[in-house]
Structure formats: C-alpha cells, structure tokens
Amino acid sequence: MAVFLLFIISLFVGQARLSPLESLRAFFRIGPDRNIRMVWLIRMPRIVAALVVGFGLAISGHVMQVNLQNPLASPTSLGVSSAAVFGANIAIICGAGIYTGTVGSTLNFNNPYVVTVAAFIFAFGSVLAILGISKIRNFSPTTVILLGVAATSLFTALTTLVQYLANDQALSAAVYWTFGDLGRASYLEILIMACVVFASFIVFFILRWKYNAMGSGDDIAKTLGIHVNALRLVSLLLASLITAVCVSFVGTIGFIGIVCPQLLRRFMGSDSRFLLPASGLLGSILLLISDLIARTVVPGMNIPVAAVTAIIGTPFFVYILLRRKRA
Amino acid sequence: MNEILNVKNYSFSYDKKKILDNVSFSVNDYEATVLIGINGAGKSTLIKCIAGLLKSKVGEITLLGKNINEYKRQEFAKNIAYVPQSISFESMSVIDAILLGRLPYFSHPGKLDYEKVYEIIKKLGIEHIANADVQKLSGGERQKVAIARALAGEAKLLLLDEPTSNLDLKSQYETLQMINALKKEGIGIIISMHDINHALEVGDKYIILKDNNIVAQGDVSILTEELLGDIYGLHFHLIQHGNTKHFHIGEEENED
C-alpha cells in the first residue's frame, strides 16, 4: 500500500511543472507528447529503478547479515562498491566516459556501457577473488569480512591514485559517477537489474528456513543437514551479484542494505521468512522517498540520492535504536 | 538393547596437539552414557567428532553400523542430534524454532512436520510457551526448546554437551528428568557433565576422560572416591542409601 502511494506521489512530482492530472493523463498516454515523454522516459524509469534497486540492496543486506553472522554486514561487505567505483574510474579516465556537460544536472558519458561493464567486471571480480581466498578458511565469516575490508581499502587507494593522475574533466566525470543516480538507468538496464533481483529473491526465499537454522550457529546448521559452506557461497555470490549489477547501473547507494534489515529486526524478529520480503519492501519505500526528496528539495536540481538515503535514514535509525533500548 | 554407536581406536589432533588418543567405546539405545572429566579432557571434542563436526582419519566411528563419513549429510542429520553447551536462536516462535529440527525432512514444512512438533511440545510440557519468542525465554526454557528441536528430527542418538551448566536449580532438575524420560523411549544419549551427582541421576554408563584418553568406563561401580579424586584433585566422599549413590565433595586434604 505504502509502495503504491509513493509510486503515485513520485509520478506527480518532478522538476517539470506538470499538474497531478497532467501526470496521470500522461501515464495513460493521453495529452501532449512532451508530457508523455516526461512521465515515461524520465519519471517512470527513476521510480521503477528505485523500487528494484531498493528491494535488491535490502534483501542483499539481509542475506549478507545472516550469512556473515554480523549485524554490520552490508551488500558492500565484499568490497563490491569500491571495486565498482575503481572499475568505472578506470573506464572514464581512459576515455570511455569523458565529461561532456550537464543536462538537467545529469552528466553525459561518451560510452556509458563501457563504464557500466568495467564497473561490473571489477565488482564481481572482487567478489570472486574474496570468495576464492575465503575457501581456504572454509568461508569463515570473519575471514570473508576482513578480506572485504582489505579489498575496500585496496580499491579506494587505487581509485585515489587513478583520480590523482586524471585530468580535470575526467576527474569530474569519475567523481560524479560515484554519486548514486537512479536516473542513469534505462528500461533495458532496469530489466536486467529486475531479473537479477527477482531470480535471487526466489533463491533466497527457498533457502529461508536454512537461514533461520544458521542463526543458531554453523554447528547446529551442519547437524541439521545443511551444507553450510555451499549455502554461504551461493548466498554471498548472489547477494554480491545484485549489488554489483545495481552499483554498475546506478552508482553507489549505501545505507539501504545495512539499515532496512536491522530496522525491521527490531520490530518483527529475525525470522527470514518474514524479514526477507519485508526488508525488500522497506528498501523500495526508503529509496522511493529518498529519490522523491532528491528530486524536489532543491528546485531545478537533482541532488545525489545516496546522500539523501543516509541523511534521512541515519537520524531515524538512531531514534529507533534509542527508543527500543528505553522500552 | 542394540548398539547404536561404536567408536573404535579413534584419535583426534588439532594443530599437531592430540586431543583424543585412541578412544574406544560403544553406546546402546535406551541408555545414557555420561562423559566425565575436567575442562580440556576432550569431552566436547569427542561429542563434536561423533556429531560429524570435527573429522579425523585415525580410527573409526560407526552409527547404526555405518561409518559416519559414508553418510550423506541429511541422512546423518536424521539419525543424530546435537545440543551444544551454549544455545542461541534467531528471534522466532518456539514452534518455528523446534520446526528447524525437521529440516533434514523438508524444504517447506508440511502438516506432518507440524504434527511432530506439537507432539514434542506436549511431551516436554512446554505448551504454555509454544507461541513465545524463543529469544525471550529463560535459560532453562531455551534448553528445553533446544532439546525439543533435537528430538524433532527423530534421531536415534542424542548428544548433549553440558546440558545442566548455566541453569538454575529447577531447570537442572527438569532437564535431568527429561533425559531420563527420553531414555525410556529408546533414544541413546551421550552427555558430557561436570556435576557427578547429576551424572548419577541419569547415567547408565560412564566414560572417564583424562589426559586425552579414556581411563575408565563402565557402569556406576567404576565411580569410586579414589578415581574421582584423582580426576578432579578434590576429596570425594561416597554416601550410599540402598541403590542410590551420592558424592559429597570437598577439598583434598594436605598430607603434611
């Protein structure tokens, strides 16, 4: 219900001064072409991208937290974001995405697909490398998390080095890419993200009872007949795939993946049967609200949605933490 | 009585240090076998080896006549259940927590699985907490839920690692009663315990571990003041009323 309401509000709100009626008519492809294009080519892709990316990052965060047995685990725990940023930076600075100016505060890249593919290759490559090395230690959660921290540091350092060597134009484009922007994704890209998110969600949902058993520790899970290492490998791989795909298409969007499952855990317990879909829905809602604010808070300008998610989410999260503690 | 488990010339080492050295014993159905020894004697390691959580190539463990390494994981899980010393659950209802014990049988629980869970809840007398959040229960209640989860898998052998430690007196008593009731249903039980008097309440057979080895095994007659004094470095005084044995424990007297 909340998702539907936000969908409607998001459809009505934007930089272009369309009335709610005009927006609604344009949604049903009635009225001037300009309005229809505005709704279907600018607003709708953002809304659908927010729904898909928010859902994906939140379920990815929940699966990471369960499998790494750590409440601070997030979709980027395996260094996905920093690796994607490094990949995109390399591509941009090597000429695939030279800054060509802003249109409606959106940057244009000469060859956006090369940037996206480079980001994905580095993001997923980092995940595969970490899981490969972790295999030596039987995918111990501590080893995976520490390798993720090491990978993040390494890619951050490499990104700094690459940016230091870049010219001003390339540097601007590279830095801009790191800001999460839902308007960057086309329908085709949204479809790719939706397929990955939906397929992964189905797999996670099938595994929900096994995730509940893992909450009692690896030993208990093993004596209940679960192949813990295989389950952890598949789960981390899919959760990271979701993140790698989303980050490659829309840039880095933090906070959603770590906070949504944690927030809901305080209200509805840690049963993955309910927490998994609920986290996904909250992720969609939070990202839709954030995008709505990002598009409207400064007239004539879209501010990075990733900044909004953290700015509105953090105080809310702290409030929930303190309120529950007092209760 | 039938043999459920046989451990033959089994050794286990960790980081080149021997934790278990050439241990051999067997466990029957309708019996509780109590492992006794100081911390570090190898009780928990032995239980984990039997549960398939630790593996060694030296010696052999057979469950129902089949080497435990030859079992598929789910098949093995149907025959053996393990309750660790420290118990943790995700936040969920007691019913759902116990239902996890049926995981070797389902990917999505069916009517039969729920029936089995309700049957165990009734048997253990925990109907009043069936819908409670398992994380909000007392230590004793959580212990019962952990045992219920282990029973839900219909295992032939139950492994309990120090089930009475960290429990209040009433919960200790109830846990011991529960173990005695389970024995009568034909389940073979291996329990590691520190409290000798608790061991006497439930044990049919005793295995004394010292310095990574079994120094004595057998029925209650092996539990002598001398042996226990040697194991624990304390003074044990046996008090016997008819068939009931009880040990009074004090510090070892100085010989000067």
Side-chain angles (χ1 to χ4, degrees):
Chain A
M1 189 66 185
V3 174
F4 181 71
L5 271 176
L6 282 164
F7 176 87
I8 299 291
I9 295 168
S10 296
L11 201 63
F12 292 166
V13 177
Q15 300 289 349
R17 297 183 184 284
L18 293 186
S19 70
L21 187 62
E22 283 174 325
S23 302
L24 203 60
R25 282 167 61 84
F27 179 74
F28 290 107
R29 298 187 180 278
I30 303 167
D33 272 359
R34 181 187 162 275
N35 292 0
I36 294 170
R37 278 203 305 276
M38 184 65 66
V39 166
W40 279 99
L41 296 182
I42 294 180
R43 290 188 188 173
M44 277 298 284
R46 288 188 81 102
I47 294 169
V48 183
L51 290 173
V52 171
V53 173
F55 194 93
L57 291 178
I59 60 169
S60 169
H62 171 66
V63 168
M64 285 285 190
Q65 286 167 10
V66 169
N67 282 280
L68 297 177
Q69 293 162 358
N70 190 322
L72 295 176
S74 76
T76 58
S77 285
L78 268 63
V80 179
S81 282
S82 49
V85 167
F86 175 67
N89 271 243
I90 286 274
I92 291 165
I93 287 162
C94 288
I98 296 299
Y99 170 88
T100 56
T102 57
V103 179
S105 75
T106 302
L107 261 164
N108 296 322
F109 294 97
N110 286 345
N111 205 336
Y113 280 103
V114 173
V115 180
T116 301
V117 169
F120 180 78
I121 287 171
F122 274 91
F124 209 57
S126 159
V127 170
L128 292 178
I130 288 175
L131 292 177
I133 298 168
S134 305
K135 193 172 183 298
I136 299 166
R137 292 275 177 198
N138 283 326
F139 301 107
S140 131
T142 312
T143 307
V144 175
I145 287 173
L146 290 176
L147 284 171
V149 170
T152 302
S153 303
L154 175 69
F155 285 116
T156 305
L158 290 174
T159 302
T160 308
L161 193 64
V162 167
Q163 288 181 348
Y164 182 76
L165 298 171
N167 63 38
D168 288 352
Q169 269 195 329
L171 181 62
S172 305
V175 171
Y176 182 81
W177 189 91
T178 60
F179 302 154
D181 180 13
L182 293 167
R184 207 180 284 168
S186 67
Y187 279 118
L188 176 66
E189 292 163 351
I190 293 168
L191 183 67
I192 294 169
M193 289 192 286
C195 288
V196 171
V197 168
F198 183 70
S200 303
F201 175 71
I202 297 291
V203 175
F204 294 155
F205 198 69
I206 290 169
L207 297 172
R208 64 201 184 280
W209 280 99
K210 293 185 175 172
Y211 292 147
N212 283 346
M214 281 179 83
S216 296
D218 282 9
D219 281 355
I220 285 296
K222 282 176 188 167
T223 57
L224 291 173
I226 296 171
H227 293 272
V228 171
N229 289 350
L231 177 66
R232 190 165 278 144
L233 175 66
V234 169
S235 303
L236 295 181
L237 209 57
L238 284 180
S240 299
L241 178 66
I242 291 176
T243 317
V245 170
C246 291
V247 170
S248 302
F249 284 133
V250 300
T252 312
I253 296 174
F255 195 79
I256 301 269
I258 188 167
V259 164
C260 291
Q262 277 303 318
L263 208 58
L264 288 170
R265 209 172 265 263
R266 280 162 172 77
F267 293 104
M268 55 191 296
S270 40
D271 189 334
S272 285
R273 287 176 300 159
F274 311 115
L275 196 54
L276 186 69
S279 294
L281 284 176
L282 184 63
S284 292
I285 290 170
L286 194 59
L287 200 51
L288 261 182
I289 293 173
S290 301
D291 187 52
L292 202 58
I293 294 170
R295 286 190 288 138
T296 54
V297 71
V298 182
M301 189 180 175
N302 286 340
I303 60 170
V305 69
V308 180
T309 54
I311 290 168
I312 64 163
T314 306
F316 182 58
F317 187 56
V318 170
Y319 166 72
I320 296 292
L321 279 176
L322 295 177
R323 198 179 71 95
R324 296 291 293 179
K325 203 171 181 181
R326 255 186 255 129
Chain B
M1 271 194 245
N2 300 306
E3 184 181 282
I4 297 178
L5 183 88
N6 189 284
V7 179
K8 197 173 167 190
N9 304 326
Y10 194 82
S11 298
F12 178 81
S13 301
Y14 184 78
D15 273 354
K16 293 179 184 170
K17 190 188 168 204
K18 225 158 211 182
I19 312 286
L20 294 169
D21 188 11
N22 199 30
V23 298
S24 298
F25 64 95
S26 62
V27 174
N28 296 329
D29 53 6
Y30 295 93
E31 257 186 17
T33 301
V34 185
L35 306 178
I36 294 169
I38 60 166
N39 281 342
K43 302 189 297 294
S44 294
T45 303
L46 182 54
I47 282 183
K48 283 190 173 186
C49 289
I50 295 167
L53 298 170
L54 298 173
K55 294 194 188 289
S56 167
K57 287 176 183 162
V58 185
E60 188 184 45
I61 300 175
T62 53
L63 176 71
L64 300 166
K66 185 174 172 182
N67 190 311
I68 61 167
N69 296 326
E70 290 168 11
Y71 275 93
K72 287 188 174 166
R73 187 159 289 187
Q74 275 191 320
E75 190 195 352
F76 187 61
K78 287 177 184 173
N79 288 309
I80 208 158
Y82 167 62
V83 180
Q85 193 177 344
S86 84
I87 298 160
S88 67
F89 287 100
E90 290 282 31
S91 171
M92 62 178 69
S93 77
V94 166
I95 292 172
D96 290 333
I98 297 172
L99 205 50
L100 289 175
R102 301 284 302 167
L103 261 176
Y105 296 88
F106 72 73
S107 53
H108 179 73
K111 194 180 162 202
L112 189 73
D113 299 305
Y114 278 101
E115 280 173 2
K116 185 73 196 169
V117 168
Y118 290 126
E119 183 191 314
I120 291 165
I121 286 175
K122 200 172 167 190
K123 191 194 292 176
L124 299 187
I126 50 174
E127 296 100 320
H128 60 292
I129 54 167
N131 291 307
D133 183 342
V134 72
Q135 277 192 344
K136 292 177 181 162
L137 300 178
S138 69
E141 288 170 329
R142 270 210 298 272
Q143 178 73 265
K144 282 182 190 170
V145 176
I147 292 175
R149 178 177 62 189
L151 295 175
E154 301 175 68
K156 313 288 181 300
L157 181 67
L158 179 60
L159 307 171
L160 302 172
D161 195 356
E162 300 194 19
T164 51
S165 61
N166 307 321
L167 296 186
D168 62 35
L169 209 57
K170 185 168 178 261
S171 299
Q172 287 179 13
Y173 173 77
E174 287 173 348
T175 302
L176 296 174
Q177 295 298 309
M178 198 187 289
I179 292 168
N180 276 327
L182 294 175
K183 259 183 357 187
K184 286 176 188 158
E185 291 183 14
I187 298 172
I189 306 174
I190 299 178
I191 318 160
S192 78
M193 268 184 176
H194 276 297
D195 191 318
I196 294 300
N197 292 317
H198 283 172
L200 288 168
E201 290 275 334
V202 294
D204 298 292
K205 191 174 165 186
Y206 303 86
I207 292 174
I208 315 290
L209 286 156
K210 188 186 177 189
D211 299 333
N212 318 315
N213 221 322
I214 294 177
V215 291
Q217 60 176 309
D219 65 13
V220 69
S221 63
I222 67 157
L223 296 179
T224 60
E225 292 170 344
E226 294 76 22
L227 178 65
L228 294 173
D230 179 45
I231 295 292
Y232 287 102
L234 292 166
H235 179 72
F236 284 78
H237 176 61
L238 176 65
I239 302 162
Q240 192 149 9
H241 299 290
N243 288 331
T244 311
K245 263 184 167 183
H246 181 84
F247 283 99
H248 176 77
I249 305 162
E251 280 189 33
E252 203 157 26
E253 287 165 21
N254 290 329
E255 289 179 10
D256 52 5

